[in-house]
Amino acid sequence: EKLDIARQLAKLGVDIIEAGFPIASPDDFAAVKQIGDLVGNEIWEDGYVPVICGLSRANEKDILRAWDAVKGAKLPRVHTFI
């Protein structure tokens, strides 16, 4: 379901897709990784590629887990909150 939503957001031209909170569960990690690997590498005719972002708390374990989930995207990003 998240993959379908991410693809629809990309069709709308959303610049940054916050794909989820990878540390929350193995399923959320897998979903964020799938979005990064697929939607984050789909280059549109006009050159558009969305930034795929993983949410993270401001601690090393969360940041590394988020990075592992999004690093396969062409434009990965880790969004931290404090």
Side-chain angles (χ1 to χ4, degrees), residues 2 19-37 52-55 61-72 78:
K2 277 191 169 194
F21 188 38
I23 198 81
S25 70
D27 287 342
D28 209 36
F29 175 87
V32 174
K33 181 166 179 19
Q34 182 181 44
I35 290 166
D37 291 346
I52 304 298
C53 186
L55 183 62
K61 184 178 177 183
D62 279 28
I63 292 167
L64 292 173
R65 189 70 170 161
W67 176 251
D68 285 342
V70 298
K71 68 184 178 185
V78 173

Side-chain angles (χ1 to χ4, degrees), residues 1-66:
E1 185 175 300
K2 277 191 169 194
L3 180 60
D4 293 334
I5 293 168
R7 283 192 165 132
Q8 291 301 316
L9 291 171
K11 283 183 185 177
L12 291 171
V14 171
D15 60 341
I16 302 170
I17 298 173
E18 178 75 62
F21 188 38
I23 198 81
S25 70
D27 287 342
D28 209 36
F29 175 87
V32 174
K33 181 166 179 19
Q34 182 181 44
I35 290 166
D37 291 346
L38 299 176
V39 179
N41 285 292
E42 293 172 355
I43 302 171
W44 294 76
E45 289 180 20
D46 63 358
Y48 161 78
V49 178
V51 172
I52 304 298
C53 186
L55 183 62
S56 165
R57 294 172 293 198
N59 67 60
E60 185 176 5
K61 184 178 177 183
D62 279 28
I63 292 167
L64 292 173
R65 189 70 170 161

